[in-house]
Amino acid sequence: MSKSKLLNHLTFCLLVIAIFVLIFDLGFNKNLYIRQILFWFYHISLGISFLSILFRYFSSSYSPKLSVKIFDLFLLIVIVIDVVVNNFFLYSPSYVIHPLIYITFFVLFLRELSDLNIIFKRSYFNPAQLFIISFLVLILLGTGLLMLPKATHEGIAFIDALFTATSAVCVTGLVVVDTGSYFTGFGHTIILILVQFGGIGIMTFTTYFSYFFRGGTSYENHLMLKDIVSADKLSDVFGMLKKIIFFTVGIELIGAIFIFFNLDQSVFDSGSDQVFFAVFHAISGFCNAGFSTLKHGLVEVGFRFNYPLQLILMFLFVLGGIGFPILFNASTYLKHQIFHKWIPQRKKKTVVHKPWIINVNTRIVLTTTLILLVGGTFLFYIFEYNNTLAPHSGYGKIVAAVFGAASPRTAGFNTVPIEVLNLHTIMIVIFLMWIGASPGSTGGGIKTSTIALATLNFFSLARGKDRVEVYKREISHNSIRRAFAIISLSLIVTGTSTFLLITFEDNDNLIALAFEAFSAYSTTGLSMGVTPELSSIGKLIITITMFIGRVSMINFLVALLRTVDNQSYHYPTESVLIN
C-alpha cells in the first residue's frame, strides 16, 4: 500500500472515531474536564484532516477533477475558519464548541467515506436486499441516537425510539410521543436527518458523493444502482442521482424560504426557532413525512387559519409525491418549449419538432393525480362543509378541502381533527391513503399508476380486448401483472395488520384500527388518535407495517426468493375458471 493510500485510510479511521466522539459530545452531559479533552481532540483532528487533504495533492498519482479540487479548497478554508473562530472569537473557559465544527466533521467523514472503493457484489446482495438493508441500518442508527440522554427531555423507551425512528426513515409521521415537546433540539435534528435520508434514500446520497469524489465506479455498481434509481440506461444512473439530490435540495430550500416569510413571528420565541420550523416543515413536507414540531399539527392555534402556509406545504408534498421521473420529464418538456419552440419563434428561426416528450408514465400519473385531487376535494368539501370545515370562511373552506384531499396521499399533515371526520369522509381518506403517491417519489401507497393500470384493465376486459391500451400505446403485460400483485399484497398486509391490532389491542373501534393500519402501510401518518394509546405489541405491529409499506412487499419477496435464471421454456397454456 502506498503512503498516500495509507494516510487516507488512517484519516478515515480518525474521522470514524471523531464521529463517535461527536455523538458522545452531543448526546451526553459532560463536566469541564471532558469538554476540555474534546475541545483539543477536535482541533487536532481538524489539523490532521487539513494536512491529509493537502498531502494527497502533492502526490503524483492523485489527479481529481476540477469540481473536487474546488470542493477541497472550500473545505480547507472552512477548517481554517473553524479553528480561528473557535479559538480567537468564541473561546471561553467552558470550552464551547461552535456548531460549524460538528458540520465540518460530518462533511469530512462523508468526503473520506466517498473516496473509498466500495463495490456491491450482486452475488452477495441483489438490489432489493441492498435497498432493505440500507433502511434497516438507518432505522437502527436512528433508534440509538434518539435514545441518547440529550435527545429527549425525560428519556425514551426502546420501543418508542424504534417506532419514531422507523416512522421518520419510512417518512410516515405516526408518533407515539409528541415530537415538539418530548424531544430536544438535538432530537428534532436527528428526526430531520432521518426524514431526509429516508425520503430520497441513503443509497442515493452515499452513491452520488462516492461517484463525485472518485470520478467513476465499477460496472457491477452501475448494474446495482440502475435498479435502485429505476434508470433506463446505465449511462443515466449518476445523472439521475445528481438530479434527485439537486431537485430535492433546491425545492426544499425554496419551500423553507416561503414558509419562513408566511409565519406569524409572534408564535415563536426567537428568530432561530422560526428558521428551524421553516426548514423542518419544508423537508418534512417534500419528503411526505408528516412530522411537525407542533403538538396538534397544523390544527394548532395560530396555524389552522394560515392558508398561505398550508398552500406552500401542499405544493411541497404534491411535488414530492408526484415522483422524480415525472418532475424530470416535465422539466425536459419545459426546456423543449422554451429553447426549441418559444425562443426560435421569437427570433423567427426554424422550430425543432420533437414528438412524444411527455411519456405515457407521466400522462398516466398526472391524469390520475388530477382526478384524485379534484374528486377528493369535491367529496371532502361536501361531506365536511358543516362539520370540520365549519370554522373556516368561504376561501378557507376551499383551501382546507383541497389540503384534506391532498394530504392523505401519504403527506400526513392535517388542518382539521381526523377523529371527528364524518364516516363517509374517513372511508374516502382511507381510499386515498391506500392509493398514495406516484412511483419514484418520496411517498408510499400502492401508487397512482397501479390503480390507473388496474382501472384500465377493467375496461379492457369489459370491452373484450386482450391487451391494455392508453394514449396510443400498449401497456406491457409485466406492468399489468406487477400492478395486480401490488394491490393483492397491499390488501394482505393491511388486512393482517388490522387483524393483529384487533387481537392484541384493547380497542374495539374497527374503523380506527383499520385507519391506523392503512396509514402505516401507505406511510401517510394520519391517525384517529390511536397511535399514542398502542401497547408495545401494537407499536411493533405498526412499526413492521410502516417498514413493509416503505420498502414494498414486492421488494421483500424479491429479497427473500431466489431469482429464476432459466426462463427459456414454456408449459402448455390452459385457462382457469375465474367467473
Side-chain angles (χ1 to χ4, degrees):
M1 182 182 294
S2 63
K3 291 183 179 180
S4 61
K5 286 187 176 181
L6 178 62
L7 180 61
N8 293 348
H9 282 79
L10 290 175
T11 305
F12 175 73
C13 292
L14 174 66
L15 289 171
V16 170
I17 296 172
I19 291 296
F20 280 103
V21 171
L22 187 148
I23 293 172
F24 167 78
D25 185 10
L26 293 172
F28 293 87
N29 295 310
K30 306 163 293 297
N31 57 35
L32 181 61
Y33 178 69
I34 297 296
R35 288 203 300 270
Q36 183 179 6
I37 294 176
L38 294 176
F39 182 88
W40 290 113
F41 171 81
Y42 287 143
H43 284 78
I44 292 172
S45 300
L46 284 175
I48 294 174
S49 300
F50 184 92
L51 294 175
S52 175
I53 294 174
L54 278 181
F55 179 81
R56 71 187 63 180
Y57 277 94
F58 288 100
S59 173
S60 58
S61 60
Y62 188 71
S63 180
K65 54 186 179 181
L66 180 61
S67 57
V68 177
K69 293 178 180 178
I70 295 173
F71 182 90
D72 284 340
L73 177 61
F74 176 76
L75 192 54
L76 291 174
I77 294 173
V78 171
I79 292 175
V80 172
I81 292 174
D82 283 341
V83 175
V84 171
V85 170
N86 218 91
N87 282 276
F88 296 97
F89 293 95
L90 297 178
Y91 179 78
S92 66
S94 58
Y95 295 99
V96 175
I97 302 296
H98 192 273
L100 184 59
I101 288 184
Y102 299 133
I103 299 174
T104 305
F105 270 109
F106 179 76
V107 175
L108 282 168
F109 172 75
L110 182 62
R111 193 252 181 274
E112 297 299 330
L113 176 64
S114 302
D115 210 26
L116 297 178
N117 187 18
I118 302 175
I119 300 176
F120 303 118
K121 295 289 185 180
R122 290 175 70 90
S123 56
Y124 297 151
F125 300 109
N126 62 39
Q129 291 170 335
L130 191 64
F131 183 71
I132 291 172
I133 289 171
S134 67
F135 275 89
L136 279 174
V137 170
L138 192 58
I139 287 171
L140 293 176
L141 285 174
T143 302
L145 291 173
L146 290 176
M147 293 186 71
L148 293 173
K150 291 179 71 174
T152 57
H153 293 289
E154 299 177 355
I156 188 171
F158 171 77
I159 187 64
D160 291 341
L162 177 65
F163 188 101
T164 305
T166 305
S167 183
V169 172
C170 298
V171 290
T172 305
L174 289 173
V175 292
V176 288
V177 294
D178 175 45
T179 306
S181 60
Y182 202 89
F183 294 98
T184 62
F186 176 55
H188 291 153
T189 304
I190 293 171
I191 292 173
L192 190 61
I193 293 172
L194 294 177
V195 166
Q196 184 69 92
F197 282 166
I200 66 175
I202 185 67
M203 291 296 298
T204 302
F205 278 102
T206 56
T207 306
Y208 171 71
F209 284 108
S210 177
Y211 179 79
F212 176 80
F213 288 110
R214 295 185 57 80
T217 187
S218 67
Y219 178 73
E220 196 164 16
N221 279 12
H222 269 81
L223 290 175
M224 182 75 73
L225 294 165
K226 177 179 178 292
D227 296 325
I228 292 177
V229 301
S230 302
D232 295 328
K233 298 180 291 185
L234 286 178
S235 58
D236 293 340
V237 171
F238 291 100
M240 288 274 292
L241 292 175
K242 182 179 180 180
K243 285 182 180 179
I244 288 172
I245 291 176
F246 278 86
F247 261 75
T248 300
V249 175
I251 293 173
E252 288 173 349
L253 179 61
I254 294 172
I257 293 172
F258 274 94
I259 290 175
F260 178 84
F261 287 107
N262 283 278
L263 294 173
D264 182 3
Q265 297 181 4
S266 63
V267 300
F268 296 95
D269 296 331
S270 63
S272 59
D273 289 341
Q274 186 176 347
V275 170
F276 186 81
F277 179 92
V279 173
F280 189 98
H281 286 78
I283 294 176
S284 181
F286 183 76
C287 291
N288 278 243
F291 271 91
S292 176
T293 54
L294 302 172
K295 184 175 182 179
H296 300 291
L298 297 178
V299 187
E300 196 88 25
V301 177
F303 296 91
R304 70 176 71 175
F305 299 115
N306 189 338
Y307 302 123
L309 170 63
Q310 295 170 21
L311 289 172
I312 294 166
L313 275 176
M314 185 168 59
F315 178 77
L316 287 170
F317 62 66
V318 167
L319 276 183
I322 282 179
F324 292 108
I326 310 303
L327 292 176
F328 299 157
N329 191 223
S331 67
T332 301
Y333 175 76
L334 289 176
K335 285 191 293 185
H336 175 76
Q337 292 294 318
I338 294 172
F339 295 106
H340 294 281
K341 295 190 73 174
W342 185 71
I343 292 179
Q345 285 179 351
R346 289 288 299 272
K347 295 183 178 181
K348 297 181 179 181
K349 294 182 178 180
T350 303
V351 177
V352 178
H353 177 67
K354 188 176 182 182
W356 208 256
I357 299 175
I358 301 295
N359 57 40
V360 172
N361 182 57
T362 301
R363 294 166 189 258
I364 289 175
V365 167
L366 292 180
T367 302
T368 309
T369 300
L370 183 62
I371 291 172
L372 292 173
L373 186 59
V374 173
T377 300
F378 175 76
L379 294 174
F380 197 98
Y381 187 86
I382 295 297
F383 292 133
E384 295 299 315
Y385 188 86
N386 293 318
N387 187 30
T388 57
L389 297 182
H392 297 272
S393 62
Y395 165 73
K397 287 181 188 292
I398 296 175
V399 173
V402 176
F403 196 97
S407 184
R409 303 212 14 257
T410 84
F413 293 100
N414 61 296
T415 57
V416 297
I418 300 298
E419 59 274 11
V420 298
L421 292 174
N422 288 317
L423 183 59
H424 300 82
T425 312
I426 289 174
M427 297 306 295
I428 293 168
V429 169
I430 290 176
F431 178 70
L432 292 174
M433 289 194 302
W434 177 60
I435 295 175
S438 302
S441 70
T442 58
I446 65 169
K447 303 298 191 298
T448 51
S449 56
T450 301
I451 195 67
L453 292 187
T455 305
L456 290 170
N457 189 55
F458 298 156
F459 288 109
S460 178
L461 286 171
R463 298 178 66 184
K465 287 188 173 183
D466 59 354
R467 56 191 178 272
V468 176
E469 298 171 336
V470 62
Y471 298 118
K472 297 183 179 181
R473 293 291 188 275
E474 181 179 337
I475 305 300
S476 70
H477 183 59
N478 186 57
S479 296
I480 303 297
R481 290 176 58 214
R482 188 177 181 88
F484 278 94
I486 290 172
I487 290 174
S488 301
L489 290 171
S490 70
L491 294 176
I492 291 172
V493 173
T494 51
T496 303
S497 179
T498 304
F499 178 81
L500 292 174
L501 288 175
I502 294 171
T503 303
F504 293 104
E505 291 302 305
D506 187 19
N507 189 330
D508 56 359
N509 190 340
L510 175 61
I511 297 295
L513 294 177
F515 192 98
E516 198 80 6
F518 274 92
S519 180
Y521 179 79
S522 63
T523 70
T524 301
L526 296 176
S527 176
M528 296 179 66
V530 173
T531 317
E533 301 173 359
L534 291 173
S535 64
S536 296
I537 297 177
K539 292 173 184 176
L540 186 59
I541 293 169
I542 293 298
T543 299
I544 295 173
T545 306
M546 288 189 293
F547 184 73
I548 293 175
R550 181 65 181 96
V551 302
S552 90
M553 196 63 190
I554 289 286
N555 278 332
F556 257 111
L557 293 178
V558 172
L560 292 174
L561 301 178
R562 183 173 63 88
T563 304
V564 178
D565 296 325
N566 184 12
Q567 301 184 65
S568 59
Y569 63 90
H570 289 277
Y571 289 119
T573 302
E574 188 168 337
S575 299
V576 176
L577 185 62
I578 300 295
N579 190 11

